[in-house]
Amino acid sequence: MSLKDKPVTPQLGPSGQKPTYQRLDSLEQLPSKGRVEHTGYVQSVSYSAPNVAPRLTAVVVDRLGTVSARRGTVPHVRLAFMGQKTVPGIKPGVKVEYSGMVAPVDQIPTIFNPRYVIVPEARR
């Protein structure tokens, strides 16, 4: 049997398999590494300095609290959007559903370039 008889099809990974994400009910369940999906609130947004590569960073928590709640005492995850000066819809107080690979960076759980969806809030 030669290669002419059987065509070769390129595959980059296992065919038909989608990566599995661990669905979190609370950020207290956040693993140190792995794929996760979660819904939370953007607590704060920060931007990179003008003289470095663009990066927008958002801190996400389970629920918005008072101003006195310190970030170190509340479970949180950092979403880092590399190469972005702004990200549509990402601002403090917005409810966001996101997924991605968690990695500890400076002892803070971080997801680089996550997939996200802004969750609409019911009007009062």
Side-chain angles (χ1 to χ4, degrees), residues 28-48:
E28 292 176 355
Q29 302 169 336
L30 190 67
S32 60
K33 294 180 183 178
R35 288 185 165 95
V36 298
E37 59 182 25
H38 180 253
T39 302
Y41 293 90
V42 176
Q43 183 181 40
S44 64
V45 176
S46 60
Y47 306 92
S48 60

Side-chain angles (χ1 to χ4, degrees), residues 27 38-47 56-79 81 89-98 108-109 118:
L27 284 174
H38 180 253
T39 302
Y41 293 90
V42 176
Q43 183 181 40
S44 64
V45 176
S46 60
Y47 306 92
L56 181 131
T57 304
V59 175
V60 177
V61 295
D62 284 328
R63 63 188 72 74
L64 294 174
T66 62
V67 177
S68 63
R70 297 188 63 200
R71 193 177 300 154
T73 61
V74 177
H76 63 282
V77 65
R78 179 170 51 189
L79 306 181
F81 296 92
I90 299 295
K91 57 187 176 184
V94 169
K95 188 174 184 180
V96 63
E97 183 176 328
Y98 60 93
I108 299 172
I118 303 297

